[in-house]
Amino acid sequence: MKKLYSLLVLLLLVTGIMAGCGSNEAQNNTNEGNTNTEQAENTEDSTFPVTITDALDQEVTIENDPERIVSLIPSNTEILFALGAGEEVVGVSDFANYPEETADIEKVGGMEFNLEKIISLKPDLVLAHGSSAHNSEAGLQQLRDAGIKVVVVNDATSFDEVYNSMEMIGQATGEMEAAETTIRDMEKKLDEVKTKAEAISEDEQKNVFVEVSPAPEIYSPGKNTFMDDMLTMIHAKNVTHDEEGWPKVDQEAIIEANPDVIVTTYGYYTEKPVEQVMSRDGWQDVTAVKEKQVFDVHSDLVTRSGPRLVEGVEELAKAVYPDVFAE
């Protein structure tokens, strides 16, 4: 009987110890789970605060991940959506037309933004642009005085500067990883274009004239523009390369230059741009007109400093060298 009693006591002790161990293990698991959750939260929040030196050399400190963003120029808007921050965008420029979601977002003005409208949207962050910042500094300062963080993104004129813009916007929105991925994708596609272009010898390079506005006042891109860089990239020669920026050109000078290919970029707002060029008086002996090598490409793809610039390079390449760059 005593033996039986002793066995029962021993069994109870063992059961208690096991239960205690199980309870401790459960508690440890709970504590570990809480620690992991806290670590995940800390990792998620570790991006902020972040301090950015913007295009005006101003240091802007963003304390928390912005939840409401206003973009004052279409290129910034396209970058935001490409980086996955589109859902936070509550206001865009009147000229924003891509992606299609921008059609349903509040418009805050064009070259001159609507200050009251922007403030009414209660943004955490406003992304301005170096191309217009100096002309709107007073308005930007009013936004700062209202407690809104303003980051002025650089006015990019090269692919490297576009990458810098993406990195700045990636920092400001906590989307740095997405920015780096987007940049790598762009670089990879550009490398593919450059590799194909290597097949074009110097003797085979075509002279190309690009029109960014129709007659009577014709403008064309010179050096330090995306269009000029793109033509160089695909081994084509820009007939207005010696000019700076976006010069107004004389028709007689273009006729004398006798380009092999003519590219227009205004078909989205002007009807039949190719037909306009083909029917111009005095242009009938220009090689591009005689051989019907006149094409229109979408302006946004070749001038807007965003992720779609690579598409612009590809479209331009196919227009100038269809045999080399055909799919």
Side-chain angles (χ1 to χ4, degrees), residues 50-54 58-62 125 149-152:
V50 62
T51 299
I52 297 170
T53 302
D54 71 5
Q58 293 200 16
E59 287 192 352
V60 183
T61 299
I62 302 172
L125 173 66
K149 299 296 183 181
V150 177
V151 172
V152 179

Side-chain angles (χ1 to χ4, degrees), residues 45-54 58-70 80 123-128 147-153 167-175:
D45 295 337
S46 64
T47 304
F48 296 94
V50 62
T51 299
I52 297 170
T53 302
D54 71 5
Q58 293 200 16
E59 287 192 352
V60 183
T61 299
I62 302 172
E63 300 292 344
N64 301 298
D65 192 350
E67 296 180 355
R68 297 179 65 82
I69 303 172
V70 169
L80 284 165
D124 307 306
L125 173 66
V126 169
L127 290 178
I148 300 169
K149 299 296 183 181
V150 177
V151 172
V152 179
V153 180
E167 289 174 346
M168 183 180 292
I169 293 175
Q171 277 188 300
T173 59
E175 300 290 353

Side-chain angles (χ1 to χ4, degrees), residues 257-274:
N258 192 29
D260 302 303
V261 179
I262 296 174
V263 176
T264 64
T265 67
Y266 45 83
Y268 70 102
Y269 69 86
T270 300
E271 289 188 7
K272 300 180 179 180
V274 172

Side-chain angles (χ1 to χ4, degrees), residues 4 33 43 63 98 139 143 203 232 234 307 321:
L4 179 59
T43 300
E63 300 292 344
Y98 187 89
L143 294 175
D203 292 340
T232 300
I234 65 172
Y321 298 112

Side-chain angles (χ1 to χ4, degrees), residues 190-267:
L190 286 179
D191 285 343
E192 291 172 357
V193 170
K194 292 175 183 178
T195 298
K196 289 184 178 180
E198 290 174 359
I200 303 165
S201 67
E202 186 171 355
D203 292 340
E204 296 171 322
Q205 291 185 15
K206 295 182 180 180
N207 293 318
V208 180
F209 172 61
V210 179
E211 281 192 10
V212 296
S213 65
E217 295 191 350
I218 301 174
Y219 286 83
S220 182
K223 54 191 170 187
N224 295 321
T225 64
F226 284 115
M227 289 294 301
D228 188 65
D229 282 351
M230 290 175 178
L231 289 171
T232 300
M233 199 176 293
I234 65 172
H235 288 205
K237 298 176 181 178
N238 179 12
V239 300
T240 55
H241 171 77
D242 291 337
E243 303 290 338
E244 181 74 31
W246 303 89
K248 182 179 178 180
V249 299
D250 178 72
Q251 292 198 40
E252 291 300 323
I254 300 307
I255 293 172
E256 184 177 348
N258 192 29
D260 302 303
V261 179
I262 296 174
V263 176
T264 64
T265 67
Y266 45 83

Side-chain angles (χ1 to χ4, degrees), residues 108-120:
V108 298
M111 298 300 293
E112 295 183 4
F113 56 81
N114 186 328
L115 188 64
E116 291 76 15
K117 184 63 172 292
I118 294 173
I119 293 175
S120 73

